[in-house]
Structure formats: structure tokens, C-alpha cells
């Protein structure tokens, strides 16, 4: 009998510390069923649960989900409203369970652009899960990789202008400290669902050496088995970070 994927993952040993996910295909999932797009987003919330539980079971330490991009603000207002309601519903329905499982949730991005209800949901889920030590779950909301880098450049420029730093002293660590993900290791593995082969302005700085896994499944159909398959795929990769192979 074939070994179950979790045992294989454990036997292989090298579990990715940080997994990032572009949760794509909600709209297609809905239109295939003749449903409105928001139905796909709601169904996508179940897949978020699968990903979180699977990450905890596999020993992933950080899970970063792309929930709403800066570009998503250009979608029809009805879809933006549905996504914001989803964030509120997720915070309301999941915060206790997440806290109980030791998940610390942080919502990262230009949160100031959110309405008051969504901001209250962010406070609720972050406050309730503050002590989580099993998994750090980053929900990237109103987030864009380019905007994040521009913001970092602006903050560094301010410090130079105020005489607080010497431009010669600016290095990669200093830029990293200006990012929403400051202090976190870069993602080891990126999973994108729905078969698309794009980075879509996600974690542009952080994914310099991330391994990519493209899953054909649409996000609402994503289960922990798909996560485990991605981790097993990752465990077969030879990561060289621009250097030559050492084995
Ligand atoms: C991309 O699918 C997905 C999104 C823009 C939203 C992602 C959000 C969720 C999965 C809900 C989870 C929410 C929380 C609060 C954790 P798409 O709409 O671009 O799909 P398409 O490419 O098939 O049109």
C-alpha cells in the first residue's frame, strides 16, 4: 500500500518553512456552475480552512495567502463588497478556532484603504490570535508587490532626508525591514492554483528564490491533499540560490 503523503513528507524531512499561495480560480469555479462570482469566493473560504489545517499538519510554520490585491480594487464594486464581507465573515467565524489551534493571523497590506467594518474584522482576528505559536497565517489584503517596494523606497528616502540614515548604508536587510513581511523568512514554496503561470504582483521582493508549484485545481476545490502534493514536489527540488550544486 502506498504511504500516505504526510508520512512521506515527514520522512523526506525538508518541510518548507514558509508557503505562499495565489488562490486563483474562484470566478471560473462559479461560472462553470452557472453561479455568480462571489459564490466562488465563498466556496474558497473552505479551501482556506483546508490549507490552514494542512499546513499545521505538515509542519509548515508560515502560510501567506493572497486574498485581495491592489489591482482587485478595480473589480466591480459588488465583487469588492463581497470580498470584504468574506473577510468579515472569516474573521467572525474562524477567530476562535484559529486561536484554539495556535494560529497567529496577521493581515498585511494597505489596510488603511479598507472600510471600517473590514478594519474591525482585521482587529478582531489579529487580537484573538495574537498568542498563536503553531502557524503564522498572513492574509495579504489590499496588497501589491510593486506598491510595497515603492512604499519601502519612500520610507527609506524619508529617513535619508531627515539625516537618520546614510544612503550608502542602504542594503537588502534595510529594505526588507520596510516590507509588510518584515522579519519573516522568504517563502520557500509558492503554490498557484488554476494552472495559471503568473506571479501577479505577489511578493515580488520576497520570491527571488522561491520554488513554484502550479496546481491545475481551481481554488475552491483545493484540499490539504493538494497542499501535500505541492510540498512533496518541493521536496524533490534542488535549491541552489544561484550557487552550484553541493551534492
Ligand atoms: C482569485 O480568483 C481570487 C481572489 C481575487 C480572491 C481570493 C479570496 C479567497 C479565496 C477568499 C478567502 C478569503 C479570506 C478572507 C481568507 P479569481 O476571482 O481571479 O478567479 P478567476 O481567475 O477564475 O476569475
Amino acid at each position: 500500500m502506498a504511504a500516505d503523503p504526510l508520512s512521506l513528507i515527514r520522512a523526506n524531512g525538508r518541510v518548507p518553512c514558509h508557503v505562499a499561495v495565489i488562490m486563483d480560480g474562484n470566478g471560473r469555479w462559479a461560472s462553470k456552475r452557472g453561479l455568480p462570482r462571489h459564490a466562488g469566493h465563498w466556496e474558497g473560504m473552505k479551501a482556506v480552512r483546508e490549507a490552514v489545517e494542512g499546513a499545521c499538519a505538515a509542519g509548515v510554520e508560515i502560510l501567506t495567502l493572497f486574498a485581495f490585491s491592489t489591482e482587485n480594487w478595480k473589480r466591480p464594486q459588488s465583487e469588492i463588497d463581497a470580498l470584504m464581507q468574506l473577510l468579515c465573515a472569516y474573521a467572525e467565524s474562524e477567530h476562535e478556532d484559529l486561536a484554539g489551534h495556535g494560529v497567529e493571523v496577521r493581515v498585511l497590506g494597505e489596510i488603511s484603504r479598507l472600510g471600517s467594518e473590514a478594519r474591525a474584522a482585521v482587529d478582531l482576528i489579529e487580537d484573538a490570535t495574537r498568542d498563536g505559536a503553531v502557524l503564522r497565517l498572513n492574509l495579504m489584503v489590499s496588497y501589491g508587490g510593486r506598491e510595497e517596494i515603492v512604499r519601502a523606497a519612500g520610507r527609506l528616502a524619508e529617513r535619508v532626508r531627515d539625516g537618520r540614515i546614510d544612503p550608502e548604508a542602504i542594503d537588502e536587510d534595510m529594505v526588507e525591514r520596510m516590507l509588510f513581511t518584515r522579519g519573516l523568512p522568504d517563502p520557500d514554496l509558492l503554490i498557484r492554483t488554476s494552472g495559471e503561470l503568473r506571479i501577479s504582483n505577489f511578493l515580488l521582493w520576497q520570491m527571488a528564490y522561491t520554488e513554484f508549484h502550479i496546481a491545475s485545481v481551481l481554488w475552491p476545490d483545493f484540499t490539504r491533499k493538494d497542499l501535500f502534493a505541492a510540498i512533496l514536489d518541493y521536496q524533490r527540488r534542488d535549491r541552489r540560490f544561484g550557487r552550484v550544486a553541493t551534492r
Side-chain angles (χ1 to χ4, degrees):
M1 201 173 70
D4 76 282
L6 258 187
S7 315
L8 284 173
I9 286 170
R10 292 209 187 94
N12 289 337
R14 201 172 49 120
V15 175
C17 169
H18 185 172
V19 176
V21 185
I22 300 179
M23 308 181 285
D24 196 14
N26 296 350
R28 274 163 287 166
W29 184 94
S31 54
K32 270 170 76 176
R33 290 163 177 77
L35 297 170
R37 291 178 58 79
H38 64 79
H41 297 315
W42 280 91
E43 197 66 21
M45 203 156 80
K46 288 188 196 155
V48 169
R49 221 168 276 141
E50 282 284 316
V52 169
E53 288 174 13
C56 290
V60 170
E61 291 172 38
I62 306 164
L63 180 67
T64 299
L65 304 179
F66 203 5
F68 190 92
S69 72
T70 47
E71 290 72 27
N72 289 157
W73 287 115
K74 296 184 193 126
R75 290 194 176 192
Q77 191 58 44
S78 58
E79 187 168 343
I80 294 173
D81 291 347
L83 284 163
M84 291 300 147
Q85 279 165 16
L86 191 61
L87 176 63
C88 296
Y90 182 76
E92 189 59 51
S93 68
E94 304 291 307
H95 69 274
E96 283 177 358
D97 206 43
L98 289 164
H101 285 94
V103 180
E104 179 195 8
V105 182
R106 297 293 309 278
V107 182
L108 305 180
E110 286 299 343
I111 301 306
S112 60
R113 287 185 74 177
L114 303 186
S116 56
E117 278 182 32
R119 282 211 303 273
V122 171
D123 289 344
L124 170 70
I125 200 163
E126 287 192 338
D127 289 348
T129 62
R130 203 164 289 286
D131 297 330
V134 175
L135 176 76
R136 160 85 177 249
L137 172 63
N138 298 312
L139 298 178
M140 308 307 285
V141 175
S142 189
Y143 172 84
R146 284 188 173 180
E147 192 174 272
E148 178 182 46
I149 293 168
V150 168
R151 180 175 170 272
R155 296 175 81 194
L156 286 171
E158 263 174 30
R159 285 165 173 68
V160 169
R161 184 196 59 202
D162 298 345
R164 283 187 282 158
I165 55 172
D166 177 351
E168 303 283 323
I170 296 175
D171 59 9
E172 291 186 10
D173 288 343
M174 217 180 261
V175 175
E176 193 277 330
R177 287 199 292 275
M178 300 293 153
L179 303 177
F180 291 116
T181 54
R182 68 188 143 270
L184 298 177
D186 290 341
D188 300 293
L189 170 64
L190 169 77
I191 301 169
R192 181 170 189 147
T193 56
S194 89
E196 303 285 351
L197 303 170
R198 284 188 298 278
I199 195 166
S200 295
N201 200 16
F202 191 38
L203 303 174
L204 297 181
W205 173 278
Q206 298 86 337
M207 293 214 280
Y209 281 101
T210 298
E211 298 293 327
F212 285 18
H213 174 90
I214 306 298
S216 56
V217 64
L218 301 176
W219 178 254
D221 293 328
F222 186 89
T223 67
R224 66 195 73 194
K225 277 190 180 164
D226 298 300
L227 175 71
F228 298 157
I231 293 175
L232 286 167
D233 180 26
Y234 167 85
Q235 290 179 323
R236 290 189 288 271
R237 305 286 175 90
D238 176 21
R239 300 190 78 190
R240 293 188 299 279
F241 299 94
R243 299 185 290 261
V244 292
T246 50
R247 61 185 163 103

